[in-house]
Amino acid sequence: MKKGTIKKVAGPLVIAENMRDVNMFDVVRVSEQRLIGEIIEMHGDLASIQVYEETSGLGPGEPVESTNAPLSVELGPGLIGSIFDGIQRPLVRIMKETGNNLKRGIEIPALDRESSWHFVPQKNVGDKVEAVDIIGTVQESVIIEHKIMVPHGFAGTLVSISEGDYKVEDVIAVVETADGEKKEITLMQKWPVRVGRPYKEKLSPDMPLVTGQRVVDTLFPIAKGGVAAVPGPFGSGKTVVQHQLAKWAEADIIVYIGCGERGNEMTDVLNEFPELKDPKTGHSLMERTVLIANTSDMPVAAREASIYVGITIAEYFRDMGFSVALMADSTSRWAEALREMSGRLEEMPGEEGYPAYLGSRLAQFYERAGRVISLGADGREGTLSVIGAVSPPGGDISEPVSQATLRIVKVFWSLDSNLAYRRHFPAINWLTSYSLYSDNMGKWFNSSVDENWMELRSRLMHLLHDESELDEIVKLVGMDALSSPDRLKLEAARSIREDFLHQDAFHEVDTYSSLEKQFKMMELVLAYYDKALHALEQGASINELVKLPVREKIGRFKYIAADVMEKNYDDILENLDRDIDKLLKKEEA
């Protein structure tokens, strides 16, 4: 251990002297209380340390010890279903040992050293292996089979491997390298959080991450391995959107980072997720979830660590070949931590006091997402999709964090407080949101769902944009000034908004819509518009067309269960034809 002494304490920033032999980003233990910190700047023998715990009571002269290792996470069986804080301390085990108060300087390993796991080999003695090859599996939860991989830097021949019950530090296999050195493999490995895990090749993001949320899947889809931002003011539903995506997104594993959000929001997650049934397996959602609860009452500096810890764990599961979705709620809180540390380091401030390197730090985080071919001989494919919430003060997305994020991400779900006040959820504004993946994935939607998917989606968007233009006219001169076709257009757009885009997260059926159901809903809304427009041309009254009884059935189609969906769909189309024929006959009479 290389030892120095504290020279100055300024909130989470500690300046230590006599630290000449340490490296940047080394983890240090500060004071007799052994608080955990990370070296973020060096000047001669002075080290600036970002301390991830409360520093009150520290003073000059107290010892600082370097561990000579960067901030790393422990990766192995025991991650799934766990709840960690921002520096991967296991909160449940800490609570059992110390009660409800998180004591400073507590040292409990992230992965339980006492639990045993049954290891089943997939390789034999004499097999050649290389880094990230899968040598065996452990059944970590009811759903997840944890694949044990050869650590980076290992390559050679397996000289021993055996099935059995092991603890995470036990040796399960030995590899002999080309120069005769024998390297031991355990169930657990470590990885520095600021370094992205390498891969063979990054693939084009041309498959959607299906979420079951209509406004997302149909209008603004995110690709598997894509990145999305959800900015919005307080109360507009950012957290509910992320909860919905965590519950329903087509991902094998969810990593949920509560980065500086209020404690009650994380409490909701902790209470809800164990009770929620995974739609694919019927088991608890926690059986495929890792939670990082770094709430607003924890030290600000730990918010930065929580983002890196979360994405490193996500990359580890991606390397196994899983589809992983990471929710970061919210990156604005992380940026505030960067701003505070930058101010204390007396760096030249950028816009609104944020550091000048804010954009590059955000980019470094988001670019770790992707659909990749992992290292290893079998060339397995894994995906890591990142959805980051942004909390701009007052909902003003012209502020630096939102703008820096928008320059990086390809999907922008713009939450609108006006929609939220009108109880339209998800409150994603269809006029200001966008997805740059749509065209790339059009071929997939057309071949996997229906060849008319992109055409219908385009018609929906046109009707919504036409409605916003017509709304301006209505506000100026009133509804009566509009022609009948324009009034019908407004009615069709209203149907899209209220019947299609509005989705009830708490309704047992409407909370999730399959792509097939979304397509049928698009067809029904547009069938009403097309047939009503044709009836208008034949002399039908616009007032009568607006009041057609079948519109109620179209509106309620979203609450229809999957097993009776086809029958209801056919019935509604029949009713629509019958109602319009009846109306035309009445007009003729």
Side-chain angles (χ1 to χ4, degrees), residues 5-10 13-17 47 58-61 344 346:
T5 52
I6 293 177
K7 183 180 181 186
K8 171 188 169 187
V9 180
L13 177 69
V14 167
I15 309 289
E17 53 192 356
L58 297 192
R344 292 189 187 280
E346 298 175 5

Side-chain angles (χ1 to χ4, degrees), residues 330-381:
S330 91
T331 53
S332 295
R333 309 280 177 254
W334 169 39
E336 284 164 12
L338 290 178
R339 177 164 63 180
E340 177 172 352
M341 290 311 297
S342 176
R344 292 189 187 280
L345 289 167
E346 298 175 5
E347 295 173 337
M348 183 68 78
E351 196 180 347
E352 289 188 27
Y354 287 102
Y357 49 77
L358 171 68
S360 65
R361 286 283 175 89
L362 282 166
Q364 282 165 16
F365 166 67
Y366 280 111
E367 72 184 7
R368 287 170 73 170
R371 179 169 157 239
V372 304
I373 301 288
S374 298
L375 294 174
D378 61 351
R380 59 192 169 276
E381 185 183 304

Side-chain angles (χ1 to χ4, degrees), residues 2-6 14-17 19 28-31 49 62-66:
K2 298 186 175 68
K3 287 200 175 186
T5 52
I6 293 177
V14 167
I15 309 289
E17 53 192 356
M19 303 284 287
V28 294
R29 291 288 182 174
V30 179
S31 83
I49 299 162
E62 293 193 56
V64 176
E65 291 180 11
S66 170

